[in-house]
C-alpha cells in the first residue's frame, strides 16, 4: 500500500484526483494545514516539512505524489510563473535530500499542459512522440518544470516520473481568482443572461476533458508506470477535438435558447491551435473507456453551475 500525496487538492483537477483515490486502497497523505500559495516563502517551508513527514509515514512502503498545483495560464508572464517553478524546485530538492525517504520506492505524477507545450503545431494528430513546440512563456515554463522534475530519476535510478500533458479541462473551478475556462464561462454567462465574449475564431478546435476523466487516466498511468525506465510522458486527452461553434450549438440544443455572443479578434487567440487532435499512443483502450461524452459533460456542468449560482445568491 502506497502513501499518496495530492498537491493542489483544492483545485479542479486535484479534487478529482482525491475523489478517485479515496476509492482505492492507497492511504492519502494529508497536511495539518493548507499550503499558503499566496506566500511563496512560507509555502516552501511547508513543503520541506511535509516531505520530512511524508518520509516518516511512508517508511519502507511506496509513496506517490500527484502534482496538480499551479496558478499559471497561457497568458501568464515570466514573473508570475517564477514562484510556481521555485516551489516545485524546493519540493524536488527536499525529496532528493531527505535521508529517510526511499527514493526508488516512489513515483511523481506531474500535471503539465499539452496545449501550451505543443502550441506551435497548428494541425495534425499530436502524440507523445511529437517534438514539443511552445510559443509562449507558459509553455516554456512547463517544459522547464518537467526538466526539474526529471532530476528525481537519473539514468534510470531514483523515483519513477510520469509527466501527464493534459489537454483542455472543463468544469467548475474553485473561487481562487483564476479565470474560468471557456465552456464554464459560456455557461455562467448564459445562465446569468450576460453577453458571451469569444476571442478566438469559431472554428478553433480543442480537446475538452473532464477533471474526473483526466484524474482516472493519470491514476492509471501511475499504476502502469513500472514498465517505464524511470521517466515517461503521457498525453491525457479525450481524443476528440471540438470547435467553439460546436460548443455553441450544443448549448443551444440543451438550453433551447439563443446565446448572446460577441466575437472579437484578440492576439491571445493566436496562442491556441486551430485544428489539432491529441491522441495518446499509450493505453488507448483505457482512455476510451473513461471518456465522458461532451454533450453529457456540458449538461452536467450546466446543472452544477446553476446550483452554484443559486447557492451564492442565497449565501452572499
Amino acid at each position: 500500500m502506497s502513501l499518496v500525496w495530492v498537491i493542489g487538492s483544492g483545485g479542479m483537477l486535484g479534487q478529482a484526483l482525491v475523489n478517485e483515490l479515496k476509492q482505492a486502497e492507497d492511504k492519502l497523505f494529508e497536511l495539518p494545514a493548507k499550503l499558503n500559495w499566496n506566500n511563496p516563502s512560507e509555502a516552501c517551508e511547508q513543503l520541506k516539512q511535509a516531505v520530512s513527514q511524508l518520509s516518516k509515514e511512508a517508511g519502507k512502503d511506496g509513496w506517490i505524489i500527484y502534482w496538480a498545483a499551479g496558478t499559471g495560464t497561457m497568458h501568464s508572464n515570466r514573473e508570475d510563473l517564477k514562484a510556481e517553478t521555485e516551489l516545485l524546485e524546493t519540493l524536488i530538492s527536499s525529496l532528493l535530500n531527505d535521508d529517510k525517504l526511499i527514493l526508488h520506492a516512489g513515483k511523481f505524477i506531474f500535471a503539465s499542459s499539452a496545449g501550451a507545450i505543443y502550441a506551435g503545431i497548428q494541425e495534425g494528430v499530436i502524440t507523445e512522440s511529437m517534438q514539443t513546440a511552445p510559443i509562449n512563456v507558459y509553455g516554456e515554463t512547463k517544459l522547464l518544470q518537467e526538466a526539474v522534475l526529471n532530476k528525481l530519476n537519473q539514468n534510470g535510478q531514483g523515483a519513477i516520473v510520469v509527466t501527464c500533458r493534459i489537454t483542455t479541462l472543463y468544469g467548475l473551478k474553485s473561487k481562487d481568482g483564476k479565470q474560468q475556462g471557456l465552456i464554464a464561462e459560456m455557461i455562467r454567462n448564459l445562465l446569468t443572461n450576460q453577453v458571451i465574449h469569444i476571442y478566438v475564431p469559431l472554428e478553433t478546435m480543442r480537446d475538452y476533458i473532464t477533471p474526473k476523466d483526466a484524474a482516472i487516466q493519470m491514476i492509471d498511468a501511475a499504476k502502469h508506470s513500472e514498465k517505464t525506465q524511470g521517466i515517461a510522458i503521457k498525453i491525457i486527452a479525450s481524443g476528440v477535438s471540438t470547435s467553439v461553434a460546436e460548443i455553441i450549438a450544443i448549448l443551444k440544443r440543451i438550453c433551447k435558447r439563443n446565446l448572446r455572443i460577441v466575437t472579437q479578434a484578440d492576439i491571445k487567440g493566436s496562442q491556441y491551435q486551430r485544428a489539432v487532435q491529441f491522441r495518446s499512443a499509450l493505453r488507448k483502450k483505457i482512455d476510451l473507456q473513461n471518456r465522458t461524452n461532451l454533450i453529457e459533460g456540458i449538461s452536467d456542468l450546466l446543472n452544477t453551475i446553476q446550483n452554484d449560482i443559486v447557492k451564492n445568491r442565497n449565501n452572499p
Side-chain angles (χ1 to χ4, degrees):
M1 181 183 293
S2 298
L3 184 62
V4 184
W5 180 15
V6 178
I7 301 176
S9 59
M12 190 165 64
L13 176 60
Q15 187 59 60
L17 282 165
V18 170
N19 291 341
E20 294 302 317
L21 290 164
K22 281 181 177 178
Q23 302 177 37
E25 297 179 354
D26 293 328
K27 177 185 176 184
L28 287 175
F29 174 71
E30 297 183 5
L31 299 179
K34 292 184 178 179
L35 290 172
N36 188 356
W37 298 103
N38 294 323
N39 187 328
S41 59
E42 182 180 339
C44 282
E45 289 304 314
Q46 288 179 296
L47 285 172
K48 291 176 184 177
Q49 295 173 16
V51 168
S52 178
Q53 187 62 34
L54 177 77
S55 64
K56 290 178 183 177
E57 292 189 27
K60 295 182 180 179
D61 296 327
W63 55 270
I64 305 174
I65 294 176
Y66 288 88
W67 177 280
T71 58
T73 70
M74 291 285 279
H75 315 308
S76 298
N77 58 45
R78 199 174 301 277
E79 190 62 30
D80 291 337
L81 295 165
K82 183 179 178 181
E84 182 180 313
T85 302
E86 289 177 348
L87 285 169
L88 180 63
E89 289 174 334
T90 296
L91 176 61
I92 300 306
S93 177
S94 299
L95 292 169
L96 289 170
N97 294 311
D98 191 297
D99 295 334
K100 296 180 181 178
L101 187 71
I102 302 175
L103 197 61
H104 66 262
K107 300 178 183 179
F108 199 115
I109 318 301
F110 181 71
S112 191
S113 171
I117 285 173
Y118 300 105
I121 302 173
Q122 290 297 314
E123 58 182 20
V125 179
I126 297 174
T127 66
E128 290 88 353
S129 62
M130 297 283 287
Q131 188 71 28
T132 59
I135 62 172
N136 59 17
V137 174
Y138 183 59
E140 293 169 358
T141 299
K142 283 302 169 186
L143 284 177
L144 173 62
Q145 291 175 353
E146 290 182 12
V148 170
L149 178 68
N150 290 342
K151 293 178 182 178
L152 286 174
N153 187 293
Q154 299 294 327
N155 301 318
Q157 302 297 316
I160 290 176
V161 174
V162 182
T163 294
C164 294
R165 293 174 176 169
I166 306 173
T167 56
T168 305
L169 290 172
Y170 70 100
L172 181 63
K173 294 180 180 176
S174 57
K175 296 177 182 178
D176 56 2
K178 194 172 180 180
Q179 186 178 357
Q180 291 277 338
L182 176 64
I183 292 180
E185 193 71 16
M186 290 174 70
I187 290 174
R188 187 172 292 277
N189 285 11
L190 171 63
L191 293 173
T192 55
N193 198 33
Q194 296 182 62
V195 173
I196 299 171
H197 293 273
I198 297 176
Y199 299 100
V200 296
L202 296 185
E203 65 270 19
T204 301
M205 302 185 75
R206 302 182 195 173
D207 183 300
Y208 297 95
I209 184 169
T210 67
K212 179 177 180 178
D213 287 358
I216 290 172
Q217 289 189 33
M218 288 179 70
I219 293 169
D220 181 74
K223 287 180 179 178
H224 294 86
S225 58
E226 289 87 353
K227 297 179 181 179
T228 73
Q229 294 181 341
I231 297 176
I233 294 173
K234 173 76 168 74
I235 285 180
I236 305 294
S238 72
V240 177
S241 291
T242 306
S243 69
V244 177
E246 289 175 286
I247 299 296
I248 294 172
I250 290 172
L251 285 172
K252 284 182 178 179
R253 195 181 319 152
I254 293 174
C255 299
K256 296 181 173 58
R257 58 188 286 192
N258 289 323
L259 282 65
R260 299 170 60 199
I261 295 174
V262 173
T263 57
Q264 182 178 343
D266 191 306
I267 190 171
K268 295 176 181 177
S270 63
Q271 297 180 359
Y272 296 94
Q273 297 100 326
R274 294 293 176 86
V276 298
Q277 281 187 298
F278 290 91
R279 192 169 298 152
S280 176
L282 309 174
R283 300 198 42 86
K284 293 180 287 186
K285 184 177 180 181
I286 295 296
D287 295 351
L288 290 173
Q289 288 174 348
N290 297 290
R291 186 176 72 191
T292 300
N293 178 283
L294 186 60
I295 296 175
E296 294 175 353
I298 290 177
S299 181
D300 289 343
L301 181 57
L302 189 147
N303 291 330
T304 300
I305 292 177
Q306 193 166 35
N307 291 335
D308 184 66
I309 291 172
V310 172
K311 179 181 176 182
N312 291 332
R313 189 180 297 149
N314 295 334
N315 299 287

